[in-house]
Amino acid sequence: MSPETVGGLGARLRRGETTPAELAAQARGALQSIEDLHPVLRYTDALTERQAGRAARMLAESPERAGPLCGIPFAYKDVLCVEGVETSAGSRILEGFIPPYTGTAIQRLLDAGAVPIAVTNCDEFAMGSSNENSAFGPVGNPWDPSRVPGGSSGGSAAVVSAGAVPFSLGTDTGGSIRQPASFCGVAGFKPTYGRVSRYGLIAFASSLDQIGPFTRSVEDAAHVFTAMAGHDPRDSTTSPLPVEPVATQVARGVAGMRLGVPREYMAEGLEPGVRAAVLAALAELEKLGATLVEVSLPSTEAALSTYYIIAPAECSANLARMDGVRFGLHVDRKSLTDTYLETRGQGFGPEVKRRIMLGTYALSSGYYDAYYRQAQKVRTLIAEEFDRAFESVDALVCPTSPIVAFPKGDKSDPLSMYLCDVLTIPVNLAGLPGISIPCGLSQGLPVGLQVIGPRLGDAQVLRVAHAYEAATAWHAQMPPSSPTATGTPS
Amino acid sequence: MTSTSAVSTLDQVMERWEPVIGLEVHGQLLTRSKMFCGCSADYIGSPPNSNTCPVCLGLPGVLPVMNRVAVEYTVRSALALNCEIPEHSKFDRKNYFYPDLPKGYQISQWDMPLSLNGHLTFTVDGEEVRCGITRVHLEEDTGTLQHAGDILQQARSSVVDLNRAGVPLMEIVGEPDLRTPAQAREYLVRLRQILVYIGVNDGNLEQGSFRCDANISLRKHGDTGLGVKVEVKNMNSFRAVHRALEFEIVRQGRLLDQGQTIAQETRGWVEAKGATISQRSKEYAHDYRYFPEPDLPPLRLSAEFVDRVRAGLPELPQQLAERLQREHGLSAYDAANLTAEREDARAFEALVAAGVPAKAAANWLMGEVARLARETHTPLQGSGLGLEGLASLVKLVEAGSINGSTAKELLEELYLAGGDPAAVVRERGLGQVSDQAELERLVDAVIAENPAAVADFQGGKEQALQRLVGGVMKATSGRADARVVTGLLRERLAR
Amino acid sequence: MTLARDQVTHVAMLARLGLSDEEVERYRQQLDAILSHVDRLQQVDTSQVGETAQVGGLVNAWREDVRSECLPVEKALANAPKRRRDHFEVGAIQE
């Protein structure tokens, strides 16, 4: 029996069959039962209670006005600031940090009556593709706990995959929502850059980061997106354009749509099982009335290098504020410089340090033109190629990841880890919306289908994904029943 | 070292070497809120860290949002300094670690600033100087540090106050076109005056809302290349700038004369020592690693926007001074004096509009009123007497109703207290005695009563006349028209 | 082009990351491998394009000059690791 969607739970709440407090307690219990996967860092008990009460009042006083998320439990990634709740970005350097403010995206969810239950584990400062970079321990994939759930939003993907909460929030800078969604067999949506406010999101790469939902259904993703999206005066990079009512447009189907398949995304490097599942998904879309067209994005190969200059460069500056002076870890030394060196040396994990150094190097005197400036130019090429493709197609469809979830410890070489994101990174560089939805199994592990849209084409992306989901059953599949199974999945 | 030998050493140095001076000014903008958040930009006097928010504290997850008025004020300043305003500009991150810099980077402008290529023209010792202005850009101020024991170099700890962090700061970079400390000083005086005039800065050097750093190098006269440049900081007054530059010229000149090279470094002016001290910090030269600020979309300032700002520019000091000379026949000296502060020029024009002759208005404002304003710490416009009262008073003098000394006394009395001068004159019968017959009678009387003074005067002692004038004044309780009395005395005694 | 040890120590200092000798060497190797890959960027012909610093296409995203509420001092200092009364405290700035 597949776990309930936002819509299903909402109906039960309105029929009086359950209450927000009860749903919250159930979610908390469910999260506790998967603690061996280690997807949760802490529970937000006081806030949970307050919000459950608030949601109950909203439902009682004006159920027609209460939106679809009212009373719905959710979890969120450890990089989103909520007033009074410890937010550590998966890092020792922020252990114990209690933000005195709540970020806009979560505030909008709270105002809609959603009930937060827990803060999820993630790669440190959202840097990673496997959730093995968390300072607080790795997360296990519900489909096979010896394997990674993907990253950096591994915890958020796992809790939805395991059916413990109907939705969770992650963040995506180079694929950190879509890739774990793909590894865990759930829907993971990255909105157009600028659609959801980043105020309150502990910044990794400012020009690439976006907050987005993990859900079991595309319609749920549309609901969460709608509740969060829209201009925020506190975030200058948010689009001033009004948000379309995506939830109502989501079921329009794909008949008559032109879908592009980027040749470079189907090239070698895809695991055979992934290729097979994706090809089957493409065939399904054709059956549903879409026309598939091959397109080319020649700069795809350069995207990885581009990303691994720009993202580290921006993060090297964004993480400079972790200096032990106003918050966070402070390793006391006599001199200020030594305090900086020791605090940051001890407080940051290896991947974070690697990226800070890479970024610092790329920006440093003598290297700026060859690295950073060149990367920003290649970024223009990448964005223009997408624009040209979208002149002839409505959306792009392709795999999310060339591989399925790999065993923990398998990719100890940083570069091999980076290669996980080749198919997701270009989307962030161009600021486009993208979603991953489950489209099959390979060796018993989930495969993700990615749908990419033009800028501000969030509705289109959700529409294509929904059409596929409605015609198939992959989204309803649950991981093998025992979460503590250590053998290979059946 | 006596001051005489110091001066001659400076002159000697300047005979052999030509100073090349470029000034960098940072001015806090008079906006209501900070550059990137809504905290107050008026932080002076606030208790430590009480004027902060997550944004200016640089907490994880926060984002900057640009203050439109700060952009406008910077464009206004740039236009007042004859700069070009490119259509496209942007902000950049300037990266370095320091405890007063919460984010570990300052949001500033690097290669696409708000304005470029301006100039400031002024006169020093009769010579016109045109100093180029490389750029005027916008950035955010840092917090403030207090060092234990007040000396940074020895402090074992320091404390950070972020009230000032994020206040909008305008940076004005001048070309190295200045050649003497006097030119540098005048550049700063003029620049400050303009910024205060256009309402973007309050010109307060002591409080640090207007700050200046200097770059100075020496070269042989006739050379066009630049020598090794030394940066000088920590000059908190125009006088300090002048003295610090003089010191540097002598210091560098002496080294160069000895065949030594100048170290490229930063030096701080130490007022108590009358010297600059090397602030050479440790090994790591600053590599700011500038890159475009991803959290702030770029600026695109249309011609309409710039025109609107230009139309809103008030008359600048130089234009105003020239106009006052033209329209009111003031001397260049008087015009410069009256336009030093915009309020004085306003007062002058208001007086003239109220019917006061220009010269009289100028004299009163620059003389007695200026003195009283200083002594009572009250500007005319805030005084009890006010512009209206002053106009009334001066018109009474000009009409001959009261004499000059009566007017001065009245001004003193009414300045703070207020009151209607004409009414006071009537009530107390202070009207000037200018009736010819009456004055002639008094003059004759005083001549008769003071034969010694008369004899002295006729014997050639001009002073003696004053004693006779004084006698008439005494007889009239100071209300006689002194000019007329003096004239009558001379006439009588010349016979 | 191989990344030299002193380049790593220089960058680590610019970023205020305290590294042991062993770490310096480990990171040197890893960064060297990453940079070798990233160097492919040099082969891309970018002579006809400008830089994309922002994908949003927005300009002039400013706010009016309005004041908003500040944090109370206690909240501003709540996370301070080292505090002296109402100030943040740091160690010797100059050694």
Side-chain angles (χ1 to χ4, degrees):
Chain A
M1 191 201 82
S2 78
E4 292 190 82
T5 59
V6 167
L9 290 168
R12 286 212 288 127
L13 282 166
R14 281 162 181 75
R15 286 197 298 267
E17 288 167 21
T18 182
T19 65
E22 195 173 82
L23 289 181
Q26 282 165 3
R28 192 157 186 328
L31 288 171
Q32 265 166 307
S33 75
I34 55 169
E35 257 168 17
D36 54 309
L37 295 176
H38 200 29
V40 167
L41 289 177
R42 62 196 75 92
Y43 294 94
T44 59
D45 291 335
L47 179 60
T48 305
E49 201 182 316
R50 279 203 308 276
Q51 272 299 111
R54 185 178 177 188
R57 277 192 304 280
M58 285 167 74
L59 286 167
E61 283 160 28
S62 45
E64 347 69 55
R65 273 198 299 136
L69 298 182
C70 190
I72 308 296
F74 74 101
Y76 65 89
K77 187 175 178 179
D78 191 30
V79 290
L80 297 169
C81 291
V82 173
E83 186 175 353
V85 180
E86 182 181 350
T87 309
S88 58
S91 178
R92 291 243 173 266
I93 212 170
L94 279 185
E95 209 173 356
F97 171 62
I98 315 254
Y101 75 102
T102 299
T104 301
I106 292 198
Q107 187 60 57
R108 288 179 180 179
L109 291 182
L110 296 179
D111 291 341
V115 184
I117 312 293
V119 181
T120 57
N121 202 344
C122 62
D123 278 309
E124 192 179 354
F125 286 102
M127 299 182 202
S129 308
S130 66
N131 219 133
E132 292 174 290
N133 291 331
S134 167
F136 307 114
V139 177
N141 189 321
W143 285 79
D144 177 350
S146 73
R147 292 175 182 259
V148 302
S152 55
S153 315
S156 284
V159 298
V160 172
S161 171
V165 283
F167 80 92
S168 67
L169 291 185
T171 66
D172 191 313
T173 305
S176 292
I177 290 176
R178 291 161 289 150
Q179 184 252 33
S182 164
F183 278 18
C184 291
V186 294
F189 177 49
K190 181 200 91 67
T192 300
Y193 179 84
R195 257 303 179 216
V196 176
S197 171
R198 292 179 297 115
Y199 183 74
L201 165 56
I202 299 181
F204 161 14
S206 315
S207 75
L208 302 166
D209 294 342
Q210 269 294 276
I211 300 171
F214 289 96
T215 55
R216 297 215 61 95
S217 77
V218 175
E219 190 178 337
D220 284 357
H223 287 312
V224 180
F225 169 75
T226 304
M228 296 192 301
H231 182 253
D232 180 14
R234 293 188 196 269
D235 178 353
S236 308
T237 59
T238 51
S239 169
L241 296 172
V243 184
E244 311 145 66
V246 296
T248 54
Q249 292 183 18
V250 97
R252 297 217 306 234
V254 292
M257 282 183 88
R258 288 172 61 85
L259 302 178
V261 182
R263 158 184 343 137
E264 293 79 7
Y265 286 47
M266 300 300 294
E268 357 109 19
L270 295 184
E271 276 178 7
V274 170
R275 182 186 300 278
V278 170
L279 287 175
L282 297 183
E284 184 63 48
L285 286 166
E286 266 183 321
K287 259 178 39 197
L288 292 169
T291 307
L292 294 185
V293 175
E294 193 188 68
V295 297
S296 175
L297 300 170
S299 297
T300 301
E301 217 260 299
L304 195 74
S305 307
T306 305
Y307 176 83
Y308 278 102
I309 293 292
I310 294 174
E314 293 181 2
C315 98
S316 70
N318 285 328
L319 267 57
R321 68 190 67 192
M322 318 309 163
D323 58 10
V325 176
R326 290 144 296 123
F327 52 84
L329 180 70
H330 173 93
V331 177
D332 211 31
R333 290 287 181 274
K334 284 214 297 250
S335 79
L336 174 70
T337 302
D338 285 342
T339 302
Y340 283 153
L341 292 169
E342 284 308 302
T343 299
R344 293 165 60 82
Q346 290 178 33
F348 288 133
E351 184 58 40
V352 172
K353 286 204 279 247
R354 261 191 297 275
R355 297 200 195 192
I356 290 176
M357 286 196 278
L358 197 48
T360 306
Y361 183 77
L363 292 172
S364 65
S365 171
Y367 296 101
Y368 180 87
D369 284 338
Y371 288 109
Y372 188 79
R373 197 192 288 279
Q374 175 70 352
Q376 291 288 42
K377 288 184 175 185
V378 177
R379 187 176 184 177
T380 305
L381 289 175
I382 292 170
E384 284 178 354
E385 281 172 11
F386 275 111
D387 288 345
R388 269 198 295 281
F390 287 123
E391 279 167 20
S392 62
V393 300
D394 303 303
L396 302 173
V397 284
C398 56
T400 304
S401 159
I403 58 177
V404 293
F406 48 89
K408 290 175 184 168
D410 238 29
K411 293 190 185 293
S412 52
D413 167 40
L415 202 48
S416 72
M417 187 70 81
Y418 296 169
L419 289 163
C420 289
D421 293 328
V422 281
L423 305 180
T424 48
I425 274 173
V427 177
N428 300 80
L429 288 172
L432 307 176
I435 195 172
S436 177
I437 47 174
C439 71
L441 294 176
S442 167
Q443 307 153 65
L445 297 164
V447 178
L449 176 73
Q450 184 176 200
V451 183
I452 304 168
R455 273 195 57 74
L456 300 173
D458 302 78
Q460 244 146 285
V461 165
L462 292 166
R463 180 179 156 190
V464 173
H466 185 271
Y468 175 82
E469 180 191 271
T472 57
W474 298 112
H475 61 284
Q477 284 225 339
M478 287 294 287
S481 50
S482 166
T484 56
T486 49
T488 52
S490 50
Chain B
M1 175 164 64
T2 67
S3 60
T4 324
S5 60
V7 166
S8 61
T9 311
L10 174 70
D11 288 342
Q12 285 168 357
V13 168
M14 289 183 68
E15 263 171 46
R16 285 191 292 280
W17 302 99
E18 178 181 51
V20 175
I21 300 166
L23 297 176
E24 208 174 273
V25 165
H26 284 88
Q28 285 177 343
L29 295 177
L30 287 170
T31 54
R32 282 197 212 106
S33 61
K34 288 185 177 181
M35 186 65 221
F36 297 115
C37 66
C39 291
S40 174
D42 184 11
Y43 62 94
I44 301 276
S46 299
N49 290 306
S50 65
N51 188 46
T52 66
C53 73
V55 177
C56 55
L57 282 171
L59 296 184
V62 299
L63 297 169
V65 186
M66 218 188 289
N67 182 331
R68 182 184 65 77
V69 174
V71 174
E72 230 180 70
Y73 281 5
T74 306
V75 173
R76 192 193 286 185
S77 308
L79 290 172
L81 295 170
N82 307 292
C83 295
E84 296 157 21
I85 314 290
E87 190 186 352
H88 299 283
S89 65
K90 64 173 166 64
F91 286 95
D92 301 281
R93 292 188 184 177
K94 178 180 183 181
N95 301 280
Y96 66 97
F97 285 86
Y98 209 60
D100 65 3
L101 191 67
K103 296 188 291 297
Y105 58 86
Q106 180 197 35
I107 300 180
S108 176
Q109 295 193 291
W110 178 47
D111 59 343
M112 291 176 65
L114 273 169
S115 71
L116 301 156
N117 299 331
H119 62 89
L120 181 56
T121 311
F122 52 93
T123 312
V124 176
D125 297 333
E127 186 191 328
E128 189 183 83
V129 178
R130 188 186 199 270
C131 186
I133 292 188
T134 320
R135 52 190 274 157
V136 178
H137 77 242
L138 183 52
E139 57 189 28
E140 54 176 346
D141 210 345
T142 62
T144 49
L145 289 170
Q146 257 173 274
H147 312 295
D150 284 334
I151 301 173
L152 169 62
Q153 284 78 358
Q154 295 156 21
R156 284 191 307 185
S157 69
S158 303
V159 291
V160 186
D161 176 4
L162 295 176
N163 283 345
R164 192 183 77 173
V167 167
L169 198 61
M170 190 171 52
E171 181 171 327
I172 301 169
V173 180
E175 292 281 321
D177 291 342
L178 303 166
R179 297 284 170 267
T180 68
Q183 286 181 7
R185 188 181 191 286
E186 189 60 20
Y187 170 91
L188 291 172
V189 168
R190 290 289 168 196
L191 181 56
R192 176 191 169 282
Q193 184 189 35
I194 288 175
L195 296 184
V196 173
Y197 250 69
I198 63 179
V200 305
N201 178 275
D202 69 10
N204 192 324
L205 279 92
E206 291 75 35
Q207 272 181 351
S209 65
F210 183 94
R211 300 171 217 157
C212 171
D213 297 329
N215 286 305
I216 175 167
S217 62
L218 299 186
R219 66 184 176 195
K220 289 225 155 62
H221 289 282
D223 267 3
T224 49
L226 294 174
V228 174
K229 146 177 104 163
V230 171
E231 188 186 16
V232 183
K233 295 171 103 76
N234 202 38
M235 303 167 290
N236 296 331
S237 66
F238 291 143
R239 186 163 165 272
V241 172
H242 200 269
R243 292 180 68 209
L245 290 174
E246 285 188 338
F247 177 88
E248 265 306 293
I249 291 169
V250 171
R251 185 188 75 84
Q252 291 187 27
R254 286 205 183 128
L255 286 171
L256 290 170
D257 284 338
Q258 288 160 25
Q260 296 187 39
T261 44
I262 307 294
Q264 183 167 344
E265 59 179 348
T266 300
R267 297 178 70 89
W269 172 248
V270 182
E271 189 73 44
K273 295 195 172 145
T276 62
I277 307 288
S278 176
Q279 281 179 359
R280 212 171 317 182
S281 55
K282 290 189 75 173
E283 323 87 65
Y284 349 112
H286 279 306
D287 178 358
Y288 292 122
R289 309 185 296 287
Y290 286 100
F291 70 98
E293 171 56 78
D295 291 330
L296 294 173
L299 291 166
R300 191 163 73 208
L301 301 181
S302 63
E304 291 75 48
F305 177 95
V306 176
D307 287 341
R308 196 167 31 83
V309 177
R310 186 180 284 118
L313 263 179
E315 209 173 4
L316 297 178
Q318 205 137 318
Q319 297 164 280
L320 183 50
E322 282 162 17
R323 182 169 67 76
L324 293 184
Q325 283 179 68
R326 252 191 350 261
E327 289 177 9
H328 303 289
L330 291 179
S331 68
Y333 177 82
D334 284 353
N337 231 303
L338 281 172
T339 56
E341 305 276 328
R342 197 161 158 216
E343 283 311 303
D344 294 337
R346 277 221 191 96
F348 170 78
E349 293 206 276
L351 285 178
V352 169
V356 176
K359 189 65 180 148
N363 288 343
W364 278 96
L365 283 173
M366 295 188 308
E368 288 304 301
V369 174
R371 179 184 63 79
L372 274 168
R374 252 192 333 267
E375 284 169 16
T376 65
H377 302 291
T378 312
L380 174 66
Q381 288 83 342
S383 69
L385 184 65
L387 257 171
E388 252 182 64
L390 178 65
S392 169
L393 187 62
V394 178
K395 273 157 60 173
L396 285 172
V397 178
E398 292 298 305
S401 309
I402 54 175
N403 67 20
S405 37
T406 307
K408 281 189 192 149
E409 283 165 22
L410 267 180
L411 177 66
E412 186 99 37
E413 190 188 315
L414 300 177
Y415 190 75
L416 287 176
D420 175 7
V424 174
V425 165
R426 265 195 318 272
E427 285 159 25
R428 296 197 218 152
L430 299 174
Q432 178 165 247
V433 178
S434 38
D435 173 57
Q436 194 77 359
E438 173 74 13
L439 285 176
E440 283 177 8
R441 189 185 59 74
L442 289 167
V443 162
D444 289 338
V446 105
I447 287 173
E449 286 157 22
N450 292 278
V454 168
D456 282 344
F457 176 65
Q458 286 175 326
K461 289 193 187 151
E462 272 293 312
Q463 297 280 66
L465 190 64
Q466 288 312 309
R467 297 199 321 257
L468 295 168
V469 172
V472 175
M473 297 303 280
K474 192 157 167 238
T476 59
S477 306
R479 293 180 295 117
D481 186 338
R483 280 167 306 176
V484 175
V485 167
T486 309
L488 284 172
L489 278 167
R490 281 192 194 279
E491 223 185 82
R492 290 281 198 273
L493 298 176
R495 290 199 217 115
Chain C
M1 182 224 72
T2 316
L3 193 64
R5 188 199 151 78
D6 64 3
Q7 286 176 297
V8 177
T9 53
H10 176 69
V11 158
M13 179 46 81
L14 278 179
R16 296 298 186 270
L17 295 171
L19 303 178
S20 66
D21 285 339
E22 180 266 322
E23 282 175 302
V24 170
E25 179 51 29
R26 188 171 7 111
Y27 288 123
R28 191 198 66 74
Q29 287 171 19
Q30 291 170 344
L31 291 172
D32 193 39
I34 296 167
L35 284 168
S36 299
H37 183 96
V38 158
D39 273 336
R40 297 179 188 192
L41 268 188
Q42 306 310 317
Q43 280 128 46
V44 182
D45 177 11
T46 53
S47 52
Q48 304 301 312
V49 286
E51 298 139 66
T52 297
Q54 305 236 330
V55 283
L58 302 171
V59 293
N60 300 348
W62 47 47
R63 62 180 175 86
E64 290 309 307
D65 185 23
V66 169
R67 285 185 188 159
S68 56
E69 229 180 287
C70 288
L71 278 179
V73 184
E74 275 315 306
K75 278 197 167 178
L77 291 164
N79 287 289
K82 249 181 122 181
R83 180 178 167 170
R84 199 190 305 158
R85 281 197 292 274
D86 288 337
H87 283 97
F88 302 98
E89 191 180 29
V90 295
I93 295 180
Q94 304 242 291
E95 299 110 81

